[in-house]
Each structure stands twice: as structure tokens, then as C-alpha cells.
């Protein structure tokens, strides 16, 4: 059994960033458990054709490690993963990782005031646990009649089967969200025929991505402050989306007009336009950016199917209207388990309940999106209502890392064995957050999305400017917690 002061689960951007900042602060007694064979999280796993970030590159980096080498204004997956791997090497934290290590259980030992972690590589104990498993790591697989009887190739977008050659095949893409918007244009020209099964149409805005010129990259690297200035300008511009989403959703009609004009220009067929036109307010679902999606959907060898799927057979898909379409391979672009993460089923708190059981009974919530009552000394990166759908999540991640580091420092300075957010504090915080959410586009916009939990509440996104989230996490507010002193100090 291995004991560490701090144990981090997952080495995506959140887990790796936490490890680096701990190391920078002089902490050495920590370990990162990563079930994969490398750092990178979602950017290691999502290697599908066309995979790229829809957040501008200059925002998509740690503030302490800007990247002047971005080749494009919106970076592709391989380049982002290369950046993350380079950061792990630069800050020399790979030796703090245990790769190929999957957590199978985590429980709070009240007697010893520590966490006990079970993995496929043995048991660990830790004073403090940081769960950084990520929100886009567990594929959501559709419950479609007959899906397990399909005899061709079938795989999720985040588990792309690179050994399967789709060239000349009849391919079905189930789903029409962000990953599908990148995959469909990337494979359409090589497959024999492509069917895109759309449950709900999406708002699609123009993509203004471009390749950076050599002199620009030279300037990013050598002109002091230039990249930070550009980063700040992009950040400020992105924050304007908050007005459309939470402050004044009616203003989204301006972007809707742009999207409608784009669609009318690129899709001449009125019936196809009707299929592609959303009946909800822009921003209610994740907004897509693409200049290739519509031109792909109007191809003669691509069909958009919006009738729903009745069943899947050995070599075909039957839609709700009874039409049977032959297919050789199926790509599932069906998203991730965000509001029912399997990780919640293995974390057991002070009273023995799993996080999943607690959420089923009381609803999904977390104080400042980072801590949960009944789970002492545990911090959740990108927890409930800490997500963003308009700008870089790294801004939120770094805010949470600062909060965790200050919590550790406070515990040391005050001689605390454990800290657990008070239930009344968490409930009050959650109530205020839901009141702020009430007028947002996610509640009033007329759609369902993966932002919402099974009760129809937005358990995913932060309903305000991101800088206000950072303000709330600037300092660890120990007065909001129940605390216990170290055993040695009690005996003294």
C-alpha cells in the first residue's frame, strides 16, 4: 500500500495542471493515477478525423505556459496533445505518474481521516484527493434496439478505430453535434455513401479559423507581452457570449440571423434547410462553428436522416418511418456521460454513500463546482456547474487549482486534518446559482441538451462571467467548512 499526501486522479489538463502547480509550490509527496498510457485526457483519446478545438488557440493553454508555436487560430487535436505532452516534460512531472492505473474504488476512512483508493495496480491511501477525471471521458452509448446485433464495425467517436478503413464503405454517423460536425466533412469524400442521423438540428456559425503566418509566430515568441495582449483581447470578446446566454438571451437573435443567412447561402434545398433549422434559441445547445458541414450535407452521396432510429439490424439501420438503409460501419457521435459519470459510482463519502447515490437522493450540486458535503478532503475539478461552453475551460481549471492549493496551505498553517464544506453552505450556494440560472438560455431557450441532468436542471454550466467564478475561488474560505485538527495536536 502506498500513501501520499495528495493523490490526483486523471492527467488531462486539470490533473496535469494540478501536478505542475503542486511541484512549483514545492510539494513532492503527491502522485497522479492515469488509466491511459500518456497524459492528455480527452486530447489523447479523441483522435477522430477532423478533431480540433473550437476555442481559439491563444486561450487554450495554461497561463503559466503560453504556446507561441500554435500553427492555427483553432488548433487540431494532434497539436494540442503535443503541447500537453511537452508541458509534462518541461515541468518534469512524468515521474509523478502511474500510467495504466485505473481507479476501481475510493472511500473515506473516518477513523484514519484519509482516503483509500483501490486500483488495478494496488491500493493507495491519501490525505487529500483531487478528482480530475474530466467531463468528456466516458462515452455515452445510445440505447437503440438491436445495436448489439450489428455485424459491421461500430465505434464511438472518442474511441476511433484507426484499423478500420472506411474508404468505399457505406457509413452511418449517429449524432449531429460538435464531433459529428468535424467528422462528417472529414470522411464524406472517401466513403461510398454517408448517412447522418440527426435527432436535433444545430445552430452553425461561420468558422474564422486560419493558419498563422511565420512572422506572426515569430512575433508571438519574441515580442514581449504580445501574445498575452492578444489572449486578453480574445478572452474579453468571448465573455460577451455570457450576455447572450445568461443576461439577455433575446439578443441571440442577431447571431441566429447570421446562422440563417449562412444556411440559406450554403443549403439551396428548402426541404433540407427545414430539417437543419433549429426551433430553439441559439446558445441553448452548444454552438457549432463550421464552414464545411453544410456543403458536405448537400452532396449527392450524403443523406441527412432526421426521422429517428427505430432499430439497428445486422447490416442496416431502420428509421422510424420504416426506411431501411444498408450500412457497413457506424460511428457513434453520441457525446459523453457528463451528468451521470461512472466515477460517481466508485467514490464513497463519510456516510458510506457513493456520490452517485447522494446525487440521486439530493440532486447534483457542488460548492463552487469543486467540493461536495460528505466528502472530506476531496476536490473535484470541473465539477457541477463549473463548465463553460463559450471559452476556454483552462481558465476555470486554473481557478480551481488555485483554490485547491490555498486549501492545502490553509490546512497546513492551521494544523487541520480534514476539511468538509458545510451542507448549509453548499445548499445556499446551489440555490443562488439556480436562481441566477433561471433566466438563462439553457432554461428558457426551448431545448434539451447534455448540459441538463435527468431532472431537467442545468448541472453542467456556470451561469455568469468566468472572471466572477475566479473571484469566488481566489481564496480558500475555511470558515465555510467543518474542520478537524490533526491528531497530534489533539493529543498535545
Amino acid at each position: 500500500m502506498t500513501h501520499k499526501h495528495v493523490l490526483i486522479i486523471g492527467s488531462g489538463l486539470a490533473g496535469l495542471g494540478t501536478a505542475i502547480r503542486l511541484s512549483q509550490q514545492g510539494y513532492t509527496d503527491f502522485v497522479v493515477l492515469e488509466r491511459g498510457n500518456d497524459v492528455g485526457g480527452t486530447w489523447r483519446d479523441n483522435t477522430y478525423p477532423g478533431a480540433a478545438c473550437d476555442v481559439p488557440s491563444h486561450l487554450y493553454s495554461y497561463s503559466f505556459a503560453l504556446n507561441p508555436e500554435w500553427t492555427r487560430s483553432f488548433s487540431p487535436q494532434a497539436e494540442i496533445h503535443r503541447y500537453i505532452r511537452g508541458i509534462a516534460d518541461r515541468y518534469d512531472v512524468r515521474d509523478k505518474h502511474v500510467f495504466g492505473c485505473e481507479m476501481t474504488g475510493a472511500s473515506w476512512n473516518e477513523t484514519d481521516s484519509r482516503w483509500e483508493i483501490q486500483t488495478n495496480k494496488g491500493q493507495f491511501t491519501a490525505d487529500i484527493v483531487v478528482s480530475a477525471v474530466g467531463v468528456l471521458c466516458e462515452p455515452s452509448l445510445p440505447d437503440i434496439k438491436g445495436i448489439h446485433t450489428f455485424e459491421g464495425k461500430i465505434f464511438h467517436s472518442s474511441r476511433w478505430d484507426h484499423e478500420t478503413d472506411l474508404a468505399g464503405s457505406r457509413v452511418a454517423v449517429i449524432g449531429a453535434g460538435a464531433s459529428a460536425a468535424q467528422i462528417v466533412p472529414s470522411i464524406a469524400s472517401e466513403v461510398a455513401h454517408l448517412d447522418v442521423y440527426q435527432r436535433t438540428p444545430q445552430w452553425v456559425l461561420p468558422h474564422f479559423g486560419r493558419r498563422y503566418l511565420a512572422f506572426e509566430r515569430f512575433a508571438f515568441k519574441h515580442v514581449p507581452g504580445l501574445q498575452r495582449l492578444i489572449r486578453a483581447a480574445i478572452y474579453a470578446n468571448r465573455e460577451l457570449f455570457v450576455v447572450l446566454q445568461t443576461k439577455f438571451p433575446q439578443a441571440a437573435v442577431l447571431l441566429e440571423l447570421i446562422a440563417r443567412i449562412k444556411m440559406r447561402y450554403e443549403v439551396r434545398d428548402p426541404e433540407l434547410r427545414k430539417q437543419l433549422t433549429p426551433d430553439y434559441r441559439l446558445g441553448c445547445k452548444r454552438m457549432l462553428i463550421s464552414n464545411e458541414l453544410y456543403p458536405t450535407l448537400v452532396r449527392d452521396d450524403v443523406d441527412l436522416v432526421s426521422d429517428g432510429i427505430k432499430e439497428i439490424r445486422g447490416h442496416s439501420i431502420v428509421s422510424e418511418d420504416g426506411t431501411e438503409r444498408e450500412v457497413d460501419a457506424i460511428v457513434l457521435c453520441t457525446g459523453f456521460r457528463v451528468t451521470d459519470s461512472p466515477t460517481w459510482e466508485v467514490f464513497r463519502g463519510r456516510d458510506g454513500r457513493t456520490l452517485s447515490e447522494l446525487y440521486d437522493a439530493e440532486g447534483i450540486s457542488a460548492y463552487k463546482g469543486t467540493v461536495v458535503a460528505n466528502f472530506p478532503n476531496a476536490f473535484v475539478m470541473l465539477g457541477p456547474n463549473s463548465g463553460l461552453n463559450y471559452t476556454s475551460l483552462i481558465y476555470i481549471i486554473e481557478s480551481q487549482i488555485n483554490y485547491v492549493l490555498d486549501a492545502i496551505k490553509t490546512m497546513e498553517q492551521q494544523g487541520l486534518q480534514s476539511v468538509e464544506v458545510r451542507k448549509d453552505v453548499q445548499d445556499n450556494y446551489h440555490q443562488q446559482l439556480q436562481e441566477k440560472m433561471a433566466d438563462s438560455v439553457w432554461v428558457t431557450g426551448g431545448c434539451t441538451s447534455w448540459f441538463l441532468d435527468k431532472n431537467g436542471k442545468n448541472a453542467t454550466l456556470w451561469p455568469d462571467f468566468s472572471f466572477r467564478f475566479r473571484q469566488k475561488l481566489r481564496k480558500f474560505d475555511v470558515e465555510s467548512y467543518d474542520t478537524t485538527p490533526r491528531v497530534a495536536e489533539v493529543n498535545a
Side-chain angles (χ1 to χ4, degrees):
M1 183 183 298
T2 302
H3 180 78
K4 294 292 181 180
H5 183 45
V6 181
L7 184 145
I8 303 167
I9 303 167
S11 190
L13 285 163
L16 180 62
T18 304
I20 291 172
R21 290 297 309 281
L22 282 170
S23 180
Q24 288 178 325
Q25 295 295 318
Y27 293 100
T28 58
D29 189 16
F30 70 90
V31 67
V32 184
L33 308 184
E34 169 53 54
R35 69 179 180 179
N37 59 4
D38 198 358
V39 299
T42 189
W43 294 108
R44 176 199 62 223
D45 296 340
N46 284 269
T47 58
Y48 60 78
C53 191
D54 57 4
V55 172
S57 298
H58 288 302
L59 280 186
Y60 213 77
S61 60
Y62 297 117
S63 64
F64 56 83
L66 300 189
N67 181 21
E69 302 295 339
W70 295 123
T71 62
R72 304 190 65 86
S73 55
F74 291 84
S75 299
Q77 172 269 333
E79 192 168 342
I80 297 173
H81 189 212
R82 187 162 59 248
Y83 164 77
I84 298 171
R85 297 183 72 218
I87 293 299
D89 293 334
R90 184 195 310 179
Y91 290 94
D92 196 24
V93 293
R94 281 187 180 270
D95 62 349
K96 292 294 186 181
H97 285 67
V98 180
F99 291 108
C101 184
E102 183 167 4
M103 180 183 69
T104 57
S107 56
W108 174 253
N109 185 318
E110 184 73 8
T111 302
D112 298 331
S113 293
R114 67 183 186 183
W115 282 94
E116 297 177 346
I117 311 295
Q118 292 78 43
T119 78
N120 63 329
K121 289 195 172 183
Q123 185 166 329
F124 296 78
T125 60
D127 301 315
I128 298 168
V129 166
V130 179
S131 176
V133 297
V135 293
L136 303 180
C137 65
E138 293 292 339
S140 177
L141 303 179
D143 183 17
I144 301 174
K145 179 183 177 181
I147 191 170
H148 298 296
T149 67
F150 184 66
E151 298 179 17
K153 291 290 184 178
I154 182 170
F155 48 87
H156 192 272
S157 59
S158 65
R159 304 292 186 267
W160 193 269
D161 185 354
H162 290 279
E163 294 184 0
T164 297
D165 185 4
L166 297 179
S169 300
R170 296 164 300 183
V171 179
V173 172
I174 298 179
S179 58
Q182 296 178 338
I183 291 171
V184 168
S186 299
I187 68 173
S189 61
E190 65 181 70
V191 304
H193 188 86
L194 182 62
D195 293 321
V196 181
Y197 286 83
Q198 170 191 272
R199 182 173 60 179
T200 308
Q202 309 284 332
W203 286 108
V204 183
L205 293 168
H207 195 316
F208 296 107
R210 65 178 183 85
R211 179 173 292 278
Y212 284 128
L213 301 176
F215 85 88
E216 291 178 292
R217 294 167 63 188
F218 178 86
F220 296 152
K221 191 170 186 177
H222 297 287
V223 178
L226 176 62
Q227 192 174 15
R228 290 197 180 276
L229 179 63
I230 294 174
R231 177 184 169 100
I234 295 173
Y235 171 80
N237 177 266
R238 285 271 160 164
E239 288 297 291
L240 294 177
F241 281 98
V242 178
V243 177
L244 303 180
Q245 294 182 332
T246 67
K247 309 299 181 184
F248 189 56
Q250 295 83 353
V253 68
L254 299 175
L255 285 180
E256 289 176 12
L257 178 60
I258 293 174
R260 290 178 187 276
I261 293 173
K262 171 184 170 64
M263 185 193 303
R264 191 169 189 84
Y265 176 75
E266 296 177 345
V267 181
R268 298 298 185 180
D269 182 355
E271 285 301 315
L272 182 56
R273 280 205 306 271
K274 185 177 180 180
Q275 284 181 276
L276 291 169
T277 302
D279 61 359
Y280 55 86
R281 182 114 284 168
L282 183 144
C284 189
K285 287 178 173 287
R286 187 178 181 91
M287 295 171 287
L288 305 185
I289 55 172
S290 176
N291 297 333
E292 292 81 32
L293 180 58
Y294 288 156
T296 300
L297 292 177
V298 301
R299 290 171 57 120
D300 292 336
D301 55 359
V302 176
D303 287 329
L304 180 69
V305 184
S306 56
D307 295 318
I309 299 175
K310 182 179 181 180
E311 66 174 311
I312 295 177
R313 297 174 180 171
H315 298 281
S316 63
I317 297 178
V318 182
S319 54
E320 290 289 355
D321 66 355
T323 303
E324 183 174 4
R325 297 173 175 86
E326 297 293 320
V327 61
D328 302 310
I330 298 175
V331 179
L332 301 174
C333 295
T334 48
F336 299 87
R337 295 179 62 179
V338 176
T339 58
D340 64 337
S341 172
T343 306
W344 298 351
E345 299 170 8
V346 298
F347 260 102
R348 292 191 179 275
R350 182 172 40 78
D351 66 2
R353 285 187 297 174
T354 64
L355 188 56
S356 180
E357 290 170 337
L358 184 147
Y359 281 163
D360 282 342
E362 303 178 9
I364 300 173
S365 72
Y367 180 57
K368 298 186 177 181
T370 311
V371 291
V372 180
N374 191 53
F375 289 80
N377 291 12
F379 299 88
V380 183
M381 308 303 287
L382 297 179
N385 293 116
S386 65
L388 303 172
N389 73 333
Y390 62 90
T391 192
S392 176
L393 277 175
I394 298 178
Y395 189 85
I396 295 293
I397 288 170
E398 290 197 34
S399 302
Q400 292 180 305
I401 292 174
N402 290 337
Y403 192 73
V404 172
L405 291 179
D406 198 44
I408 296 172
K409 180 180 178 181
T410 300
M411 292 176 70
E412 292 177 346
Q413 292 176 338
Q414 298 188 17
L416 302 177
Q417 184 73 28
S418 69
V419 295
E420 178 187 347
V421 66
R422 301 203 317 269
K423 185 66 165 60
D424 64 303
V425 171
Q426 180 178 325
D427 289 345
N428 183 59
Y429 173 86
H430 183 68
Q431 178 63 31
Q432 293 179 357
L433 186 145
Q434 291 302 315
E435 290 173 358
K436 187 182 291 289
M437 191 84 71
D439 295 327
S440 72
V441 69
W442 311 303
V443 176
T444 66
C447 76
T448 58
S449 71
W450 58 266
F451 304 145
L452 308 181
D453 64 14
K454 63 183 180 181
N455 298 315
K457 291 189 176 182
N458 191 325
T460 307
L461 300 179
W462 167 248
D464 205 340
F465 296 105
S466 63
F467 61 80
R468 287 185 175 156
F469 184 87
R470 175 157 293 188
Q471 289 172 348
K472 288 183 178 293
L473 278 77
R474 192 168 298 280
K475 184 173 179 60
F476 181 69
D477 48 337
V478 68
E479 66 276 4
S480 298
Y481 290 71
D482 289 327
T483 63
T484 58
R486 290 200 189 104
V487 175
E489 299 198 10
V490 171
N491 294 336

